[in-house]
C-alpha cells in the first residue's frame, strides 16, 4: 500500500509561505521591496496593532493592469524574470515571484492598483489564497496592498508573535533598512494614526541623519573603495560612537527572504570593506578605538581595570569599599551544602591564606584540597544570584546618581527599552522615560564599582535583540546575566586577602557555586593524590 500523498495545495502554500513570512515585518519588507521595484517615488506604510491586525503599503509606482492584478498572486509569478539567463543580470529586489502568493496564504488581502495607461483602477480581494472579488474602482496611479489578520488561519504561528513593542521594533528595522538603501525615495511610517517617520527624498547622508539621531550629523565619515567591478560606498560612524553589535549587516539573494548574500570571494569583500573603513579613518585622522580584528562579541572586561594611581587610593577607601560589598551581599540566599564545605574548614581558614595568581586566579587550600578559583566567573555568579533573587518591590538597593544621565536611543532600540524597563528597574536601576526616545538614569544598583550606565543599558538592549527566544519571562534573566558580566564587585588588580576571602565566602553561599551564569567552571579542586601525581 502506498503511504505517500501529494499535500493539498493550501497546505503546501502555507508551508512555503512560512519561509517567507514569519512576522508582520516580513510583509512590510516584501511590500516595500515591490514598491521599490515598481519605481515608486513615495512609499507609505501604515500599521495597526503592530501589523498583526493590518499592514498597508501604498506607492505611486507603475501599478498593475487588470490581468496582472490577479496574476501577481500566483506562486512563482513575476514580471522581473522570464528565463534562466535573466538571473545573472538582476537589478530588482524581487525575482522569485513568491511574496504575494505567500502573503495571500497567511492573511486577507485588498489590492488596489492602476497603471498610467488605464483610466480606471482595479480592486482585488484575496482570502485563503483565492481571489474572492475583483472590481473597477477609481484610484490614482500606483498600488496599495493591505494585508489583514496575519496568520488568522494558522493560530500556532499567530501565538508565536512577540509583544507589540518588539514586533514594531522589527517593523522599524525593516523600514529603516529600505529607507537607507533608497534615500531618493520618500518614505513614511504610520503606526495607529501616529506618524513615526516622515522621510523626504534626499541623499544618503541626510537620510542617515534623519533616520538615526541628530547627533550623528558630526560623526559620519564617508567611505569609498573601488576594486575591479566592485564598488563600495557609504558612511561609517566615528569609532567613539560605535558600539559593537552582533546584528547582521548584509543583504541579498540566496534565501527566500534574501537576507544572506553569497560572495564567491568573501575574504576579498571583507578586506575591501575593511580597507575602505580604515582609509576613511586615516583620512579623517581618527584612530579607531575599536579593534576591527577582534571578535565582535563583547570582550569580557570584567577583570580588574584600575590604573596604578587609582590603586594607590584603594587602601585609603578600603573601609568604605568594604561597606559597599556588604550591601551587595544582602539578600544572597544561603541554602546549600557547598557552604558546608567552607564552614567545616573555617577553623583552618586563617592559616591558609589565599594567593592571587595572574590577576584572574585565586589559589586557596581548603581542608586537604587546593582550590583554584577563576575569580571573574566567581564574581559573575555572586552577582547573578544576588540580582536573580531581588524583586522590584523589595528592592531598595539603589544609590542615587549625583548627575542624572540621559541616554538617547533610536526608535527601534527604544521599543526594546519599553519592553524591558521594568526588568531593568527590578535590579536596582532608577530609570525613567524622558522625552521621545530617551531615558534618564537617576540611580544605579548599590555597592558596585565603576558602572558605566550607558554602556550597561545598551548591552541589555543588545542582549535582548540578539536573543531569539519568544519567552518574555526570560528577558529579566538575560539582563541579569549581561549585568553580572559587566558589573564589578571589586575592581582592583591586586586583591587583598580580605577581598579574596570575601569572594570565596560569597561564592560558597551561592545556590550554584560551581558554575558561572554562562556555565563556565568557577573553580577546580586538586586533591593530594592529583598534586602528588604531578611529580
Ligand atoms: P517578485 O517581486 O519576486 O516578482 P512578488 O510576489 O513580490 O514577486 O510580486 C509579483 C509581481 O507582482 C511582481 O513581479 C510585480 O509584477 C507585481 N507587483 C507586486 N507589487 C507591485 C507593486 N507595488 N507595483 C507594481 N507591481 C507589483
Ligand atoms: Mg517581490
Amino acid at each position: 500500500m502506498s503511504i505517500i500523498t501529494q499535500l493539498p495545495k493550501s497546505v503546501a502554500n502555507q508551508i512555503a509561505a512560512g519561509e517567507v513570512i514569519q512576522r508582520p515585518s516580513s510583509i512590510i519588507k516584501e511590500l516595500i521591496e515591490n514598491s521599490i521595484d515598481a519605481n515608486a517615488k513615495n512609499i507609505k506604510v501604515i500599521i495597526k496593532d503592530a501589523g498583526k491586525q493590518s499592514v498597508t503599503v501604498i506607492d505611486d509606482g507603475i501599478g498593475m493592469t487588470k490581468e496582472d492584478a490577479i496574476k501577481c498572486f500566483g506562486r512563482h509569478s513575476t514580471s522581473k524574470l522570464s528565463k534562466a539567463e535573466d538571473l545573472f543580470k538582476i537589478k530588482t529586489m524581487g525575482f522569485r515571484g513568491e511574496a504575494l502568493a505567500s502573503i495571500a496564504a497567511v492573511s486577507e488581502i485588498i489590492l488596489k492598483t492602476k497603471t498610467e495607461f488605464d483610466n480606471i483602477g482595479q480592486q482585488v480581494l484575496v482570502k485563503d489564497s483565492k481571489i474572492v472579488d475583483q472590481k473597477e474602482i477609481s484610484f490614482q496611479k500606483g498600488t496599495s496592498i493591505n494585508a489583514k489578520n496575519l496568520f488568522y488561519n494558522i493560530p500556532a504561528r499567530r501565538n508565536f508573535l512577540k509583544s507589540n513593542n518588539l514586533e514594531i521594533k522589527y517593523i522599524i528595522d525593516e523600514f529603516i533598512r529600505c529607507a537607507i538603501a533608497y534615500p531618493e525615495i520618500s518614505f513614511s511610517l504610520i503606526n495607529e494614526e501616529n506618524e513615526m517617520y516622515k522621510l523626504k527624498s534626499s541623499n544618503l547622508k541626510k537620510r542617515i541623519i534623519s533616520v538615526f539621531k541628530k547627533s550623528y550629523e558630526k560623526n559620519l565619515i564617508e567611505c569609498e573603495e573601488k576594486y575591479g567591478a566592485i564598488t563600495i560606498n557609504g558612511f561609517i560612524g566615528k569609532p567613539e560612537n560605535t558600539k559593537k553589535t552582533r546584528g547582521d549587516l548584509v543583504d541579498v539573494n540566496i534565501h527566500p527572504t534574501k537576507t544572506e548574500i553569497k560572495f564567491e570571494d568573501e575574504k576579498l569583500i571583507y578586506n575591501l570593506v575593511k580597507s575602505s573603513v580604515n582609509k576613511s579613518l586615516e583620512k579623517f585622522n581618527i584612530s579607531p578605538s575599536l579593534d576591527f580584528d577582534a571578535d565582535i562579541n563583547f570582550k569580557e572586561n570584567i577583570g580588574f581595570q584600575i590604573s596604578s594611581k587609582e590603586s594607590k587610593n584603594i587602601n585609603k577607601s578600603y573601609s568604605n569599599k568594604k561597606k559597599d560589598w556588604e550591601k551587595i551581599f544582602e539578600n544572597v540566599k544561603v541554602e546549600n551544602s557547598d557552604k558546608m564545605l567552607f564552614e567545616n574548614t573555617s577553623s583552618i581558614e586563617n592559616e591558609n591564606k589565599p594567593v592571587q595568581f595572574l590577576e584572574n586566579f585565586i589559589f586557596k587550600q581548603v581542608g586537604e584540597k587546593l582550590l583554584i578559583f577563576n575569580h571573574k566567573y566567581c564574581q559573575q555568579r555572586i552577582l547573578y544570584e544576588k540580582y536573580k533573587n531581588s524583586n522590584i518591590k523589595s528592592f531598595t538597593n539603589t544609590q542615587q546618581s549625583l548627575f542624572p544621565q540621559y541616554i538617547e536611543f533610536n526608535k527601534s532600540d527604544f521599543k526594546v527599552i519599553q519592553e524591558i524597563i521594568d526588568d531593568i528597574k527590578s535590579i536596582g536601576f532608577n530609570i525613567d522615560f524622558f522625552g521621545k526616545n530617551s531615558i534618564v538614569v537617576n540611580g544605579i544598583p548599590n555597592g558596585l564599582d565603576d558602572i558605566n550606565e550607558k554602556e550597561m543599558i545598551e548591552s541589555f538592549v543588545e542582549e535582548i535583540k540578539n536573543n531569539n527566544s519568544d519567552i518574555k519571562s526570560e528577558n529579566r534573566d538575560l539582563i541579569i546575566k549581561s549585568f553580572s558580566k559587566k558589573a564589578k564587585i571589586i575592581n582592583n588588580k591586586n586583591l587583598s586577602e580580605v577581598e579574596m576571602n570575601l569572594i570565596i565566602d560569597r561564592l560558597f553561599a551561592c545556590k550554584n557555586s560551581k558554575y558561572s551564569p554562562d556555565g563556565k567552571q568557577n573553580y577546580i579542586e586538586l586533591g593530594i593524590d592529583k598534586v602528588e601525581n604531578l611529580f
Side-chain angles (χ1 to χ4, degrees):
M1 195 186 80
S2 160
I3 52 169
I4 299 176
T5 58
Q6 185 129 31
L7 286 175
K9 209 173 159 202
S10 60
V11 179
N13 270 346
Q14 280 187 8
I15 293 172
E19 254 194 284
V20 185
I21 308 299
Q22 280 112 21
R23 47 182 11 100
S25 65
S26 336
I27 299 191
I28 295 204
K29 168 187 188 290
E30 296 297 340
L31 295 182
I32 293 182
E33 288 185 355
N34 280 347
S35 298
I36 292 170
D37 286 345
N39 293 328
K41 302 255 176 316
N42 295 284
I43 300 176
K44 186 171 178 180
V45 180
I46 305 169
I47 55 171
K48 295 212 167 100
D49 191 24
K52 296 168 184 171
Q53 189 198 324
S54 158
V55 166
T56 312
V57 175
I58 305 166
D59 69 49
D60 56 355
I62 57 174
M64 284 182 262
T65 61
K66 185 175 179 181
E67 206 183 330
D68 284 349
I70 300 277
K71 273 193 188 168
C72 66
F73 293 105
R75 200 155 278 287
H76 312 299
S77 304
T78 179
S79 55
K80 300 166 194 174
L81 186 78
S82 58
K83 46 190 185 305
E85 297 91 282
D86 296 347
L87 270 172
F88 297 98
K89 44 182 185 205
I90 283 170
K91 293 217 172 89
T92 50
M93 308 199 66
F95 61 83
R96 302 170 63 113
E98 282 182 315
L100 291 185
S102 297
I103 298 171
V106 294
S107 68
E108 299 167 10
I109 297 183
I110 305 172
L111 162 76
K112 296 175 186 171
T113 188
K114 185 178 105 56
T115 70
E116 65 176 307
F117 309 106
D118 293 314
N119 295 323
I120 192 95
Q122 299 293 323
Q123 175 172 291
V124 176
L125 306 188
V126 188
K127 194 172 178 192
D128 292 327
S129 296
K130 289 186 205 78
I131 310 287
V132 289
D133 187 42
Q134 177 171 30
K135 65 176 185 202
E136 291 184 339
I137 53 161
S138 114
F139 199 66
Q140 70 280 12
K141 175 194 156 233
T143 302
S144 153
I145 296 185
N146 169 225
K148 278 191 299 193
N149 297 330
L150 179 59
F151 298 134
Y152 71 96
N153 50 355
I154 322 175
R157 293 292 298 265
R158 198 173 165 94
N159 290 340
F160 264 101
L161 294 177
K162 295 194 184 179
S163 68
N164 281 11
N165 276 333
L166 285 184
E167 291 298 344
I168 292 175
K169 180 207 136 37
Y170 294 132
I171 289 173
I172 294 174
D173 290 350
E174 207 55 76
F175 175 85
I176 283 176
R177 200 182 56 82
C178 298
I180 294 229
Y182 292 86
E184 65 282 3
I185 299 178
S186 57
F187 284 88
S188 63
L189 173 61
I190 297 161
N191 172 24
E192 316 281 353
E193 330 265 291
N194 157 31
E195 192 163 63
M196 294 188 89
Y197 288 92
K198 186 175 176 63
L199 306 170
K200 282 188 288 192
S201 163
S202 69
N203 59 30
L204 179 57
K205 186 169 184 184
K206 285 191 184 139
R207 177 61 53 93
I208 292 173
I209 293 162
S210 58
V211 163
F212 296 108
K213 297 178 248 171
K214 186 93 180 82
S215 56
Y216 275 40
E217 191 157 5
K218 291 189 206 76
N219 294 316
L220 288 174
I221 307 170
E222 197 161 5
C223 303
E224 206 177 339
E225 189 74 40
K226 284 200 172 86
Y227 183 83
I230 307 166
T231 308
I232 290 171
N233 56 41
F235 287 89
I236 56 170
K238 287 184 187 166
E240 58 266 35
N241 300 309
T242 315
K243 47 180 187 191
K244 293 188 178 189
T245 167
R246 286 175 283 177
D248 300 353
L249 289 174
V250 281
D251 252 23
V252 179
N253 286 319
I254 52 169
H255 188 262
T257 59
K258 295 175 256 111
T259 47
E260 285 169 37
I261 322 179
K262 183 146 180 53
F263 285 116
E264 203 171 82
D265 187 348
E266 288 173 15
K267 232 182 157 140
L268 173 74
I269 302 288
Y270 173 79
N271 284 332
L272 267 176
V273 173
K274 188 174 157 184
S275 118
S276 161
V277 167
N278 281 341
K279 267 193 208 160
S280 305
L281 289 174
E282 267 166 37
K283 201 160 99 196
F284 289 84
N285 210 2
I286 300 155
S287 64
S289 60
L290 284 178
D291 177 0
F292 287 95
D293 288 324
D295 189 287
I296 53 169
N297 294 334
F298 284 107
K299 263 215 188 124
E300 294 164 285
N301 55 354
I302 307 300
F304 298 111
Q305 297 161 340
I306 199 155
S307 66
S308 58
K309 196 173 133 210
E310 281 170 305
S311 70
K312 279 192 197 123
N313 294 328
I314 282 174
N315 284 346
K316 272 191 237 151
S317 62
Y318 180 72
S319 52
N320 291 340
K321 280 255 162 68
K322 200 174 157 203
K323 272 189 206 132
D324 286 347
W325 300 339
E326 245 81 279
K327 291 178 202 146
I328 276 293
F329 301 120
E330 284 161 18
N331 293 351
V332 172
K333 280 192 187 153
V334 183
E335 45 181 77
N336 86 349
S337 56
D338 278 340
K339 196 180 168 252
M340 301 292 286
L341 171 68
F342 203 67
E343 275 181 348
N344 290 342
T345 56
S346 58
S347 56
I348 51 166
E349 188 187 354
N350 294 334
E351 295 158 34
N352 299 317
K353 290 188 178 166
V355 177
Q356 187 177 11
F357 176 66
L358 293 177
E359 281 183 34
N360 255 343
F361 304 98
I362 301 170
F363 283 55
K364 176 155 176 152
Q365 184 185 339
V366 178
E368 304 236 294
K369 285 178 180 158
L370 173 63
L371 302 194
I372 305 175
F373 299 86
N374 179 318
H375 96 256
K376 184 172 76 183
Y377 296 151
C378 297
Q379 291 211 33
Q380 290 175 10
R381 165 53 64 184
I382 296 166
L383 281 173
Y384 177 79
E385 292 211 1
K386 152 94 181 166
Y387 287 94
K388 189 87 184 145
N389 295 332
S390 63
N391 77 51
I392 194 160
K393 285 181 202 88
S394 71
F395 211 98
T396 49
N397 246 346
T398 299
Q399 93 196 31
Q400 292 303 313
S401 310
L402 223 44
F403 304 102
Q405 263 241 22
Y406 298 90
I407 310 176
E408 191 192 354
F409 295 89
N410 63 43
K411 287 182 188 167
S412 158
D413 286 357
F414 192 65
K415 286 284 162 198
V416 179
I417 285 286
Q418 286 174 318
E419 183 77 7
I420 59 175
I421 189 159
D422 287 340
D423 295 318
I424 300 177
K425 282 181 179 168
S426 81
I427 60 173
F429 282 89
N430 179 348
I431 59 175
D432 246 312
F433 296 121
F434 185 84
K436 232 175 157 192
N437 294 308
S438 304
I439 57 168
V440 53
V441 185
N442 287 313
I444 58 171
N446 228 338
L448 296 172
D449 253 16
D450 276 350
I451 283 196
N452 178 335
E453 295 97 328
K454 184 163 184 283
E455 207 181 296
M456 182 79 81
I457 290 175
E458 282 176 353
S459 81
F460 299 159
V461 174
E462 281 298 313
E463 195 73 33
I464 302 294
K465 276 159 64 177
N466 291 316
N467 177 263
N468 290 324
S469 162
D470 285 304
I471 305 166
K472 201 176 168 203
S473 59
E474 274 189 7
N475 287 347
R476 185 168 190 271
D477 193 55
L478 288 170
I479 288 168
I480 294 173
K481 256 191 206 162
S482 164
F483 176 73
S484 67
K485 282 194 269 182
K486 290 211 144 238
K488 293 152 202 162
I489 308 170
I490 302 165
N491 194 25
N492 40 327
K493 276 192 175 129
N494 300 314
L495 298 170
S496 69
E497 189 185 330
V498 181
E499 287 170 326
M500 287 188 269
N501 276 331
L502 186 90
I503 290 171
I504 296 171
D505 197 10
R506 295 311 170 186
L507 177 72
F508 286 126
C510 286
K511 219 170 167 181
N512 180 356
S513 58
K514 291 224 163 68
Y515 299 99
S516 79
D518 280 337
K520 307 246 176 62
Q521 222 169 324
N522 289 334
Y523 63 92
I524 53 167
E525 289 180 19
L526 295 177
I528 294 180
D529 45 338
K530 272 203 191 136
V531 177
E532 277 181 344
N533 271 342
L534 292 173
F535 299 93

